[in-house]
Amino acid sequence: MKNLISIQEWLPFCKIFRKGMVKLKDESYIKILKIIPINYSLKSEIEKEAILNSYKIFLKTCDFNIQILIQSNKEDLNQIISKINNQIKKEKEEKIKKISEKYINYIKEINYNKKSTARRFFIIIKITNKKGEENIQQELEEKYLKIKESLERCGNRIEEIETKEETREILFSFYNKRLSQI
């Protein structure tokens, strides 16, 4: 008979802290950062060049382990369609009703062709516990501030994860994409 292990034994982390910090079973620690990116394609050529130069500086200053993760999930547009349908029912003008119905068909087509996706961006900082647990949090905070400063020069916004629950939800979304609501 096969020796089965539980999910808890299989998962690589053993403790979740506040501020996106997680202790792994190999005694290393990670910190998860949420990135709110700019829309690069809407920038002028000069702005794009400045952003790329800032991004190069960011990569050069990261002399520690990071991982960049992008999560893509199909967008659920049913609520939007439902709102438009409710407005159509209230609308008296026939022309506006027809335009709204065409818009619903357009939204359905985009959704059917899988062109409507929500993307979330994360950076994970990883350090190995060499100095004792009390220094880990400070070291992760320093690395977070370094990343934040560099990426904000590119125009991105960096959000620190505040609660254990939010960290759990993000980890859940990494490991179980089908069931994740994020």
Side-chain angles (χ1 to χ4, degrees), residues 104-174:
I104 287 174
N105 289 334
Y106 173 72
I107 291 171
K108 286 180 179 177
E109 183 181 327
I110 286 174
N111 204 28
Y112 178 76
N113 292 329
K114 297 181 176 130
K115 292 182 181 174
S116 59
T117 57
R119 288 187 180 86
R120 296 181 344 136
F121 299 84
F122 300 94
I123 290 184
I124 298 176
I125 307 166
K126 183 177 181 182
I127 58 174
T128 307
N129 185 4
K130 297 175 191 165
K131 306 169 191 166
E133 197 165 310
E134 52 284 340
N135 295 323
I136 294 293
Q137 195 165 6
Q138 181 181 349
E139 190 176 338
L140 283 170
E141 189 66 20
E142 288 170 8
K143 292 179 184 331
Y144 156 69
L145 292 173
K146 197 176 206 182
I147 288 172
K148 181 177 168 112
E149 181 184 330
S150 296
L151 285 180
E152 283 180 344
R153 275 192 229 124
C154 300
N156 300 294
R157 221 174 67 231
I158 290 68
E159 291 183 0
E160 189 169 34
I161 297 157
E162 292 296 326
T163 65
K164 288 181 182 182
E165 186 55 40
E166 189 178 1
T167 304
R168 275 190 211 102
E169 287 172 8
I170 291 169
L171 289 170
F172 181 80
S173 74
F174 291 160

Side-chain angles (χ1 to χ4, degrees), residues 1-156:
M1 188 160 111
K2 289 183 181 178
N3 187 11
L4 300 176
I5 61 171
S6 70
I7 295 294
Q8 287 79 6
E9 290 175 296
W10 175 77
L11 291 172
F13 35 87
C14 59
K15 188 171 183 181
I16 298 172
F17 301 92
R18 290 182 59 249
K19 298 197 173 234
M21 195 169 105
V22 179
K23 181 179 182 180
L24 303 178
K25 289 180 179 174
D26 68 357
E27 296 298 314
S28 62
Y29 290 79
I30 62 170
K31 182 173 179 77
I32 304 169
L33 309 176
K34 198 182 327 179
I35 311 300
I36 313 302
I38 58 168
N39 193 336
Y40 182 78
S41 59
L42 295 178
K43 301 296 180 182
S44 70
E45 290 305 312
I46 294 171
E47 289 172 314
K48 286 179 179 179
E49 190 175 323
I51 291 166
L52 286 175
N53 287 332
S54 295
Y55 191 69
K56 288 175 192 175
I57 292 168
F58 157 69
L59 292 174
K60 287 179 182 178
T61 60
C62 285
D63 56 351
F64 47 87
N65 291 330
I66 64 166
Q67 184 175 10
I68 300 171
L69 293 173
I70 302 170
Q71 260 185 353
S72 295
N73 296 318
K74 188 175 179 197
E75 197 74 63
D76 183 12
L77 301 176
N78 290 326
Q79 285 183 328
I80 295 170
I81 292 171
S82 178
K83 279 184 180 180
I84 296 170
N85 275 326
N86 288 337
Q87 289 175 344
I88 289 174
K89 290 175 188 173
K90 296 175 187 174
E91 183 59 53
K92 292 179 173 82
E93 191 69 39
E94 220 31 63
K95 207 174 194 180
I96 294 176
K97 283 183 177 182
K98 287 186 183 199
I99 291 171
S100 299
E101 288 168 357
K102 284 182 180 180
Y103 184 59
I104 287 174
N105 289 334
Y106 173 72
I107 291 171
K108 286 180 179 177
E109 183 181 327
I110 286 174
N111 204 28
Y112 178 76
N113 292 329
K114 297 181 176 130
K115 292 182 181 174
S116 59
T117 57
R119 288 187 180 86
R120 296 181 344 136
F121 299 84
F122 300 94
I123 290 184
I124 298 176
I125 307 166
K126 183 177 181 182
I127 58 174
T128 307
N129 185 4
K130 297 175 191 165
K131 306 169 191 166
E133 197 165 310
E134 52 284 340
N135 295 323
I136 294 293
Q137 195 165 6
Q138 181 181 349
E139 190 176 338
L140 283 170
E141 189 66 20
E142 288 170 8
K143 292 179 184 331
Y144 156 69
L145 292 173
K146 197 176 206 182
I147 288 172
K148 181 177 168 112
E149 181 184 330
S150 296
L151 285 180
E152 283 180 344
R153 275 192 229 124
C154 300
N156 300 294

